[in-house]
Amino acid sequence: MNIAIVCYPTFGGSGVLATELGKALADKGHNVHFITYQQPVRLNGFFANIYYHEVRVPTYPLFDFPPYETALASAMVDVVQNHDIDLLHVHYAIPHASSAYLAKKILEKQNKNIPVITTLHGTDITLVGKDKTYSPVVTFSMEESDVLTAVSENLKSETYKNFEISKEVEVIHNFVDVARFHKKPIEAFKSLIAPKGEKIIVHASNFRPVKRVDDVIKTYLLINEKIPSKLLLIGDGPERPVLESYSRKLACHNDIRFLGKQEQMEDILPIADLFLLPSEYESFGLAALEAMAAEVPVISTNAGGLPEIIIDGYCGYMSNIGDTQNMAENALKILSDDTIHHSFKLNALHQAEKFDIHNIIPKYEALYKRVIS
Ligand code: GMT
């Protein structure tokens, strides 16, 4: 099949998932065309049957806001016309679903029917999309997609709760390439971070308020009172400057490292003893799944779709939003006993295997065959 994938090219979960999906489809012999405004971060390396089409948005003195949505729709039309594309798969509804609708209508005029699949990822429904600035367009373009998918059951019910749509939402859970993350820790790296054998605690996100990164630090401080540990904060975003100056004032500021955006998560995660994800909401929590694939137990909230991937008391623990005391107590239950820690690590891997790439990609392929036929 010739598949066009539209996504955000950045470190956000939707872009990561879309890029990994495209790479996996290409591995299976499909031709995959990415249409984005920048090379996707996880598209690193040469792939013979992957094509990248950059959306260019020329500026003009009249444009205070260059019309990206129009440029994207035109890029979709061009790629479909010139590469014999069978379907358009757009990730994150805003503005990709409405651009896809426009492209579909333009192509219809040329007697080309192009099926559109929209995959909802999270904040396109729960935060940004439901705002009245966007909701009429999001509602309309979801209805007009040939197929709507959501990355968790929770996101499916959030979609029905927040939007009046009659369209069926199909759930295809996110996935992880377990083989890529399940690696031996790089010992030199580990002893550089934790020279005295301290525990290593990791958090990765886009540092937005929904991630509650301050709760990561609060939980870490409580853990560190009992078990000497180091905290690695991966990613970047609006909350980072405040958190960085807050942590500089702490007595243990040398134990907290802000690593910024990192491409090689598969090298960092295996050195971790625990992953913290105290989010206000996660439609799925791809970052937690990647940690589990690296044999890292997860301490998280019980928000959104997290209970669909984490089994409480088995591969991690879930607490109520903001209950950092409970999160720290749970973390200590795992970290203070090597035997317990070891079994949580194995359970985390076992749980991640249920969402392995090889189990999920066939679901997308079956969906593609269905919409094409
Ligand atoms: O919140 C993020 O990390 C970014 C956002 C995105 O769309 O890029 O992530 C959402 O999609 C991910 C992939 O499907 C999910 O794993 C995240 O849970 C989801 N984020 C939220 O729902 C807040």
Side-chain angles (χ1 to χ4, degrees):
M1 278 182 255
N2 296 327
I3 301 151
I5 292 182
V6 179
C7 63
Y8 282 102
T10 52
F11 284 86
S14 62
V16 166
L17 194 281
T19 311
E20 297 297 352
L21 171 64
K23 281 157 54 177
L25 290 165
D27 266 350
K28 296 189 90 175
H30 303 289
N31 292 312
V32 178
H33 294 256
F34 283 99
I35 307 174
T36 62
Y37 59 79
Q38 199 176 280
Q39 175 103 2
V41 281
R42 288 263 178 117
L43 196 61
N44 41 8
F46 174 70
F47 308 88
N49 45 348
I50 292 187
Y51 305 79
Y52 162 58
H53 308 271
E54 189 163 305
V55 182
R56 273 184 293 274
V57 195
T59 52
Y60 184 69
L62 199 59
F63 298 157
D64 277 344
F65 304 100
Y68 176 68
E69 210 168 328
T70 307
L72 176 60
S74 300
M76 289 180 191
V77 170
D78 181 71
V79 172
V80 171
Q81 280 170 336
N82 292 301
H83 298 274
D84 200 17
I85 297 296
D86 296 305
L87 65 96
L88 274 170
H89 187 176
V90 305
H91 291 260
Y92 204 91
I94 309 167
H96 304 148
S98 46
S99 293
Y101 169 76
L102 193 54
K104 186 180 171 76
K105 286 289 155 196
I106 294 167
L107 289 157
E108 261 173 32
K109 292 260 178 219
Q110 299 162 13
N111 294 322
K112 167 92 185 158
N113 175 34
I114 185 85
V116 171
I117 299 172
T118 299
T119 292
L120 308 170
H121 278 272
T123 50
D124 44 355
I125 294 299
T126 56
L127 202 69
V128 197
K130 73 177 186 193
D131 187 285
K132 74 177 186 336
T133 326
Y134 299 112
S135 74
V137 174
V138 175
T139 309
F140 175 79
S141 45
M142 283 198 291
E143 283 282 12
E144 292 297 322
S145 295
D146 293 278
V147 175
L148 260 187
T149 74
V151 299
S152 65
E153 292 292 343
N154 173 269
L155 187 58
K156 175 180 173 171
S157 55
E158 286 294 326
T159 308
Y160 289 134
K161 206 158 71 187
N162 292 305
F163 296 88
E164 272 182 37
I165 54 161
S166 55
K167 187 125 223 136
E168 192 199 343
V169 179
E170 301 180 34
V171 174
I172 302 183
H173 281 115
N174 283 338
F175 59 83
V176 64
D177 182 357
V178 172
R180 186 166 127 216
F181 286 89
H182 188 226
K183 298 206 309 192
K184 280 207 157 57
I186 303 170
E187 286 305 328
F189 185 23
K190 195 169 175 164
S191 51
L192 208 70
I193 305 280
K196 295 182 188 144
E198 297 93 333
K199 299 292 182 195
I200 299 178
I201 295 164
V202 170
H203 166 80
S205 75
N206 53 16
F207 286 60
R208 295 199 170 267
V210 70
K211 303 290 176 180
R212 298 184 68 104
V213 187
D214 48 340
D215 281 359
V216 172
I217 298 179
K218 286 179 197 158
T219 307
Y220 162 74
L221 292 175
L222 293 168
I223 299 170
N224 195 35
E225 274 174 17
K226 305 273 188 227
I227 297 182
S229 34
K230 302 279 184 181
L231 177 63
L232 301 183
L233 292 163
I234 300 165
D236 211 336
E239 302 281 287
R240 180 173 167 181
V242 177
L243 293 162
E244 232 170 332
S245 51
Y246 165 63
S247 73
R248 276 190 205 117
K249 291 181 196 126
L250 298 168
C252 61
H253 66 274
N254 286 328
D255 296 325
I256 303 176
R257 287 195 194 200
F258 287 79
L259 299 188
K261 293 177 181 171
Q262 295 289 332
E263 281 177 36
Q264 298 301 114
M265 287 304 285
E266 62 270 37
D267 289 335
I268 302 172
L269 288 170
I271 69 161
D273 293 293
L274 208 63
F275 189 85
L276 297 185
L277 195 63
S279 308
E280 181 98 31
Y281 180 78
E282 287 292 341
S283 66
F284 183 87
L286 188 59
L289 183 63
E290 291 187 341
M292 282 155 57
E295 267 193 31
V296 185
V298 175
I299 295 294
S300 75
T301 52
N302 47 19
L306 287 167
E308 290 174 50
I309 58 165
I310 297 160
I311 301 176
D312 197 49
Y314 175 74
C315 54
Y317 284 103
M318 291 177 288
S319 309
N320 293 331
I321 298 163
D323 194 346
T324 50
Q325 187 67 43
N326 188 249
M327 290 183 220
E329 281 163 16
N330 288 335
L332 290 167
K333 276 190 221 163
I334 298 176
L335 294 177
S336 54
D337 184 316
D338 283 349
T339 316
I340 293 176
H341 190 200
H342 185 67
S343 66
F344 269 74
K345 279 165 70 72
L346 294 183
N347 296 347
L349 173 64
H350 185 61
Q351 180 63 3
E353 278 165 350
K354 295 184 191 160
F355 299 89
D356 186 52
I357 193 163
H358 300 297
N359 299 328
I360 308 291
I361 298 300
K363 296 187 186 189
Y364 277 113
E365 283 182 298
L367 170 63
Y368 293 168
K369 277 194 196 128
R370 202 179 82 214
V371 294
I372 290 173
S373 67

